[in-house]
Amino acid sequence: MSAKINDMYYAYSAIEDIKEKGEYGGVVTTIMKYLLEEGIVDGVVGVTEGHDMYDGVPILVTDPADVIKTAGSVHCGTLNIAKFVSKYLDGARDMKLAVACKPCDAMTIRELMKKGKIIEDNVIMIGVNCGGTFSPVPTMNMIRDVYELDPKDVIKEEISKGKLIMETADGEKGIAIGELEEQGLGRRENCQRCNLKIPSNADMALGNWGVIGDLAGKATFIEVFTEKGADALGKVIDAGLIATEEPLEKGIKIRENINNFMLKESLEKKDVDYAGTTGDIIDVFHMYEDEFSKCMKCYGCREACPLCYCDDCCLETEGPEWVPGGYTPAAPFFHLTRLVHMVDACTNCGQCSEVCPCEIPVAKVWSIVNNKVRDIYGYIPGMGSDDPLPFTDHVSKAKWI
């Protein structure tokens, strides 16, 4: 095996069509294709474009020729892939899967593994660095109104050097991400306070951060975190399907600095979001009483939540703890019941807020309460006892927990 835990590489694909279509050398796609061709996995899970680049949809690929459909990034793919694996693929009980996952996907998959809802031995997690995702409709409106571009003309978007850059055939236009988010635009709110940018709880993490020199924009930075990841990557390298180089020391430092800067921003966002929430859990709910009073008990948050997985839900009409809606307010008891069931496991993926028709900041409240649970018990959802934690110069263990 040519790879081992803690190894770091610059890498790019030796397969030309993948190298051309995939971002930064097409390494993720190459790894996935090899694992499927060799029968190491039975299927590959990723995200592909649906109607357009603003419509990210999950996909299960079982034919190696189709893996290229997952190439490239879909930053408006706001779904949490863990739900797709646990609910629609039966938690990988009967098939081995390679799953491309951003940090909140990886955290949720790990949490579901702890609860026996996803079979750890049957999943290889190919983690991808993530600075945040964007809600489709607000993003299209932002491109039209702020960037003064036609959303249909945008061929790629990227966060780079503190700017959100939109690329068209005529060139690029970038605006400081901070300016956009001060106006309530840019990344989804939960992404702004996310504590994990490099998925160190996956089997390996890949991204373009820290790739400098001649390979800048042409290669991927890989870091290996588990024996499973080292074994899979080593086989791809030994097969000659990706070329690797030792990363430059300056590049390693740049990657670390980018990660630290983003984590520092996340802490600042959390300070804003958590301001005034010094009481207990009921006090937090009381603060948001007016927001929760809008709840019409549509069950959207429950259906979207990847960690709300009971086969028989006590909140259904026939359940013993049924909480009525309609003329009798569902809030706060509907949400308090859900909270008791899963708030310890919340990974701040934002699915609940994404689907709420009443625009209740469910994810924000869940994040506040989840962090109170961390303060008391020190339990960090989505991270195993042996996983490296994303502590930085700016983020101490106490502050992160």
Side-chain angles (χ1 to χ4, degrees):
M1 181 178 68
S2 57
K4 58 184 182 297
I5 295 175
N6 298 325
D7 275 358
M8 296 181 179
Y9 302 93
Y10 287 162
Y12 54 90
S13 179
I15 305 172
E16 284 303 318
D17 60 336
I18 292 178
K19 185 179 178 181
E20 182 177 342
K21 184 176 180 182
E23 290 189 340
Y24 309 114
V27 176
V28 173
T29 309
T30 302
I31 293 172
M32 297 287 210
K33 187 172 187 288
Y34 173 84
L35 295 175
L36 192 54
E37 283 178 334
E38 296 301 311
I40 297 170
V41 298
D42 304 307
V44 163
V45 175
V47 177
T48 190
E49 288 188 13
H51 176 69
D52 54 28
M53 65 175 285
Y54 306 100
D55 179 30
V57 296
I59 183 174
L60 170 67
V61 177
T62 56
D63 183 343
D66 292 334
V67 174
I68 199 166
K69 293 178 181 178
T70 67
S73 298
V74 184
H75 290 107
C76 288
T78 59
L79 67 154
N80 189 303
I81 207 73
K83 181 87 170 186
F84 182 69
V85 174
S86 63
K87 183 174 182 178
Y88 299 104
L89 301 179
D90 196 25
R93 277 171 173 75
D94 300 317
M95 63 189 311
K96 293 185 179 294
L97 298 172
V99 182
C101 48
K102 57 188 184 297
C104 63
D105 297 329
M107 285 189 284
T108 310
I109 289 171
R110 284 288 179 205
E111 197 61 24
L112 289 169
M113 286 174 173
K114 294 177 192 176
K115 299 177 185 301
K117 296 299 176 180
I118 293 178
I119 306 305
E120 182 173 3
D121 289 345
N122 288 348
V123 176
I124 300 174
M125 289 197 288
I126 314 297
V128 291
N129 301 348
C130 182
T133 56
F134 305 86
S135 297
V137 174
T139 298
M140 287 188 281
N141 291 337
M142 176 185 68
I143 292 170
R144 186 180 298 108
D145 299 337
V146 180
Y147 283 79
E148 299 180 337
L149 298 171
D150 187 334
K152 294 180 181 178
D153 293 338
V154 175
I155 55 179
K156 183 181 178 182
E157 82 291 329
E158 180 182 17
I159 298 175
S160 179
K161 297 180 180 178
K163 291 185 177 182
L164 176 57
I165 299 169
M166 299 294 165
E167 181 181 338
T168 68
D170 297 324
E172 297 180 348
K173 186 171 184 178
I175 299 176
I177 192 76
E179 292 179 13
L180 294 170
E181 290 173 356
E182 285 177 4
Q183 303 173 55
L185 305 172
R187 295 172 299 170
R188 298 160 66 219
E189 186 182 74
N190 60 293
C191 295
Q192 294 178 43
R193 60 175 172 261
C194 177
N195 282 97
L196 191 64
K197 308 298 182 180
I198 297 173
S200 56
N201 54 348
D203 294 303
M204 64 183 86
L206 302 92
N208 66 316
W209 303 345
V211 180
I212 60 175
D214 294 340
L215 291 179
K218 302 174 184 177
T220 296
F221 193 117
I222 307 176
E223 183 173 6
V224 181
F225 293 108
T226 69
E227 289 289 353
K228 188 190 297 183
D231 181 62
L233 180 63
K235 287 175 179 176
V236 180
I237 294 172
D238 292 343
L241 297 178
I242 59 174
T244 62
E245 294 183 14
E246 185 176 342
L248 300 174
E249 285 295 326
K250 183 179 179 181
I252 295 173
K253 186 63 178 176
I254 288 172
R255 177 175 179 261
E256 180 184 350
N257 289 342
I258 292 171
N259 187 48
N260 287 351
F261 176 78
M262 288 191 171
L263 291 176
K264 182 173 180 290
E265 282 194 323
S266 295
L267 280 178
E268 292 171 354
K269 173 63 175 171
K270 290 174 84 168
D271 286 342
V272 172
D273 284 355
Y274 298 174
T277 57
T278 56
D280 60 22
I281 291 172
I282 300 301
D283 290 331
V284 174
F285 267 79
H286 183 64
M287 284 184 61
Y288 288 91
E289 185 175 358
D290 289 343
E291 296 280 4
F292 279 109
S293 69
K294 303 173 187 175
C295 177
M296 59 184 182
K297 200 186 175 191
C298 69
Y299 289 100
C301 55
R302 184 196 68 176
E303 292 304 300
C305 177
L307 288 158
C308 200
Y309 54 72
C310 294
D311 293 329
D312 297 313
C313 178
C314 67
L315 290 169
E316 294 289 359
T317 303
E318 66 275 13
E321 300 171 56
W322 176 56
V323 177
Y327 62 87
T328 305
F333 300 106
F334 172 80
H335 298 281
L336 281 170
T337 305
R338 283 198 65 240
L339 182 78
V340 169
H341 282 211
M342 48 65 63
V343 73
D344 65 302
C346 177
T347 55
N348 183 50
C349 70
Q351 300 302 295
C352 47
S353 289
E354 197 76 15
V355 301
C356 180
C358 301
E359 299 184 346
I360 301 169
V362 187
K364 179 179 176 180
V365 177
W366 254 232
S367 179
I368 293 169
V369 177
N370 178 260
N371 274 260
K372 288 182 178 292
V373 172
R374 298 184 192 194
D375 289 343
I376 296 169
Y377 297 105
Y379 179 74
I380 302 175
M383 302 297 290
S385 57
D386 296 326
D387 288 331
L389 299 178
F391 306 145
T392 72
D393 295 338
H394 305 292
V395 187
S396 69
K397 180 176 181 180
K399 187 73 172 178
W400 200 88
I401 292 175

